[in-house]
Amino acid sequence: MIIWITGASTGIGRELARQYAEQGHSVYATARNETNLSSLADQTRDYEGSVTALVGDVGDPERMRAVFDAVCDRSGVPDLVILNAGTHKPTSATSFVLEDHQKLMDINYTGVLNGLNAALPLLLSRGSGQIAVVASVAGYRGLPRAGAYGASKAALINLCESMQPELKAEGVDLRLVCPGFVKTPLTDLNEFPMPFLMPVEDAVRAMIKGLRSSKFQIVFPWRMGVTMQLLRQMPNRLFLAIARKISG
């Protein structure tokens, strides 16, 4: 299987590339950090499969097209595209910083659009292939100090729900991945309790298993998914009272 993964230099993306290469697949790993991508390629050098580093910024639509074209030129149209690149920064409503919101939306949401823009035409013309978009359970409900991050992930959830039926009719299998807290260099920066924190190796195994199933939405860890779904169904009056208490 030919796989293209964005955001592959650290965290979930890096572990996805490693596990897929270990299983014998041809993986093309994209991120801005060339050093981390090189170390990933070195780490997987003796695996049954392979990891090829293709440096690129998901915020640059032209570069994403060039990277995707490079994958196609080397191995053919990918069987699986994983649009995983994303970042997080706590945000405050009372200390509002426009640039923080714009940056997270540019990377987390527009970065996915740039990946779709690069990959969809050929997948649609072939009439097959799978795309996985990595959102977050944080997109289910507005969590305190996560306005920018949650909004970008909520946008991805809505986008995928909207696009899936059309793409399915054309043979392209769009999946939505919503992780909870996964132990990565990004979550290591968090200074608050993270319920049901999951090792990245286990999270990636759950994601790979989900992509092999028929599920549209893949959520892990399951307890965090259930918790957020309950909050999603909770009446606004009760949810906002709880959110105010958490906010202090």
Side-chain angles (χ1 to χ4, degrees), residues 21 42-43 52-53 86 88 97 127 137 140 145 160 197 212 226 246:
D42 290 340
Q43 179 188 1
T52 302
H88 174 264
V97 180
V137 296
Y140 290 167
R145 299 184 182 87
C160 290
L197 181 67
R212 290 173 177 160
V226 169
I246 294 173

Side-chain angles (χ1 to χ4, degrees), residues 10 23 99 127 130 156-157 162 166 173 175 182 188 190 192-193 205 207 212 223-224 245:
T10 62
Q23 294 170 11
E99 290 77 10
Q130 187 177 67
L156 290 177
I157 292 170
S162 174
E166 283 186 82
D173 182 18
R175 303 295 187 92
V182 177
D188 286 344
N190 290 341
F192 54 84
R205 279 191 285 269
M207 181 171 168
R212 290 173 177 160
R223 290 178 294 174
M224 187 66 183
K245 186 174 181 180

